[in-house]
Amino acid sequence: MQPSRRTALAVLLAGLLVLAAFVLQSVLSTVVFAITVAYVLYPFREMVSEYGYSGRIAAGAATAAGFLGVVALALPLAYVLYRRRLDLLVFLEAIPERIVVDLGAFVYVLETAPVFQTAQSALRSLAISLAGAAPVIALKSVVFVILVYGLLLKPNAPRVAALRLCPSEYHDVLFALHRRTASTLRAIYVLQGATAVATFALALVTFAALGYDSPFALAVVAGVLQFVPVLGPSVVIVTLAVVDVVAGNAFRAMIVLVVGLILVGFVPDAVIRSRLAGGATDLPVSVYFVGFVGGLLTLGAVGFVVGPLVVALLAETVRLLSENGIATQQRLPGIGTDPDPTVDGTPSETDDESAP
């Protein structure tokens, strides 16, 4: 490809990317999340292909695995809420109009009527918002599934475009950024899963020690909520404290707030995640948390992935600069692995976009 034509196409691509980001800003976070998930699912797609299945079947199997993984996260929470729905109704009906909290020398009286009115208004507004957003959520889910499937079906398409637009002397930069992207994304999702498992274990021990009914179910909910940024398992702790206050057990409510928020809400993120983050993402713990927290505050839920990824790519670029941009010359891989090399970076006959 002639340099002038390559430059013109690169400029055109950059302009169209900016235009697409503006036009598709409502689904931009969905697109970004789908790309990160495709990176993580690519090894599974390749494993299916190695058994002799076609690219379409392999992409469909990987997409289904990702979808079932999301369902598996939401299913325990939905099951617990469904099984405990009658207990929740009985609890709400048993709440008196006035709750007296006796802490020895201090006695507090809590009027529940204003709290109930505020809660009812909030729940009503939430229900209306969810009902109105249901079609949008459904459409975004469809976009997510289709995009993940498309990326896994033709994983070489971005590679071919990048090779043709980027001069061969800069291919090593693309190789390095790609490798860092793939390793960081997989580490982030594995790290999140490990933190959720640790949250479940700590919650199970804490709730059993404090004498709560169904500690296993409560621990499952706490572990699943670890995937919800910011609030996470703290919702379970606060809810249990409220239940204890209503039941007149103010002492256990205070214990679960202090011990639960520390062991279940704080330790998994601040201690376990930080210990695993350095080795998993190949980033200093402080740098990882800057990306994690900054991504959450700036981009919302998808920021827990994008934030550390951006920081990791920045660190990789700094590394390349410190090494004078010298890296091992090799082929820019597809979404997940390194394909067969070529001499000059020009796609070969096997580089058709439909190649697995």
Side-chain angles (χ1 to χ4, degrees):
M1 184 183 297
Q2 298 178 356
S4 59
R5 178 179 176 82
R6 179 190 303 166
T7 303
L9 288 176
V11 173
L12 177 61
L13 177 61
L16 289 177
L17 286 175
V18 173
L19 179 62
F22 174 76
V23 175
L24 305 177
Q25 55 183 324
S26 296
V27 294
L28 190 59
S29 60
T30 304
V31 172
V32 173
F33 186 54
I35 294 173
T36 64
V37 171
Y39 259 99
V40 176
L41 293 176
Y42 185 82
F44 180 77
R45 183 245 192 227
E46 288 296 277
M47 183 181 67
V48 176
S49 295
E50 290 176 357
Y51 283 95
Y53 294 99
S54 65
R56 292 184 180 277
I57 295 178
T63 304
F67 178 78
L68 292 177
V70 174
V71 172
L73 287 176
L75 193 59
L77 181 60
Y79 176 76
V80 170
L81 292 177
Y82 176 76
R83 287 294 302 270
R84 296 292 178 177
R85 67 190 188 282
L86 296 179
D87 295 338
L88 179 60
L89 293 176
V90 172
F91 167 74
L92 293 176
E93 293 176 354
I95 297 178
E97 296 182 356
R98 177 178 296 180
I99 299 175
V100 179
V101 180
D102 189 358
L103 296 176
F106 301 95
V107 177
Y108 298 94
V109 178
L110 175 63
E111 299 289 342
T112 60
V115 176
F116 266 111
Q117 292 176 358
T118 303
Q120 288 176 355
S121 300
L123 290 176
R124 190 179 299 111
S125 301
L126 178 61
I128 295 174
S129 300
L130 289 177
V136 177
I137 295 175
L139 286 174
K140 287 186 176 182
S141 301
V142 172
V143 169
F144 172 79
V145 172
I146 292 176
L147 186 55
V148 171
Y149 174 77
L151 289 171
L152 293 173
L153 179 63
K154 298 183 178 180
N156 292 332
R159 168 172 58 85
V160 172
L163 283 173
R164 288 176 176 173
L165 291 177
C166 182
S168 58
E169 58 267 24
Y170 296 108
H171 284 179
D172 61 317
V173 177
L174 295 180
F175 309 148
L177 293 179
H178 166 80
R179 289 193 300 271
R180 176 56 74 98
T181 298
S183 62
T184 301
L185 286 176
R186 290 165 194 160
I188 288 173
Y189 283 106
V190 170
L191 181 62
Q192 186 65 39
T195 307
V197 172
T199 301
F200 164 79
L202 290 173
L204 180 62
V205 173
T206 302
F207 297 150
L210 292 177
Y212 285 103
D213 295 333
S214 303
F216 183 83
L218 291 174
V220 168
V221 175
V224 172
L225 288 179
Q226 182 61 245
F227 288 88
V228 179
V230 181
L231 295 178
S234 301
V235 174
V236 180
I237 304 300
V238 174
T239 302
L240 290 176
V242 171
V243 172
D244 284 339
V245 169
V246 172
N249 195 345
F251 179 74
R252 192 171 70 167
M254 183 175 61
I255 294 298
V256 76
L257 272 179
V258 176
V259 176
L261 288 178
I262 292 176
L263 291 182
V264 182
F266 179 76
V267 169
D269 279 322
V271 179
I272 298 176
R273 187 193 295 272
S274 63
R275 286 187 174 275
L276 296 176
T281 61
D282 195 23
L283 287 173
V285 175
S286 58
V287 175
Y288 169 80
F289 266 98
V290 167
F292 181 82
V293 176
L296 282 176
L297 296 178
T298 304
L299 301 175
V302 75
F304 90 91
V305 176
V306 178
L309 175 60
V310 170
V311 173
L313 293 178
L314 177 61
E316 184 66 23
T317 304
V318 171
R319 185 191 67 81
L320 290 173
L321 288 173
S322 65
E323 297 177 359
N324 296 321
I326 299 175
T328 303
Q329 291 290 336
Q330 56 179 320
R331 191 86 183 317
L332 180 64
I335 287 180
T337 55
D338 295 339
D340 297 331
T342 57
V343 176
D344 58 355
T346 303
S348 62
E349 294 180 359
T350 60
D351 287 330
D352 181 75
E353 292 183 2
S354 61

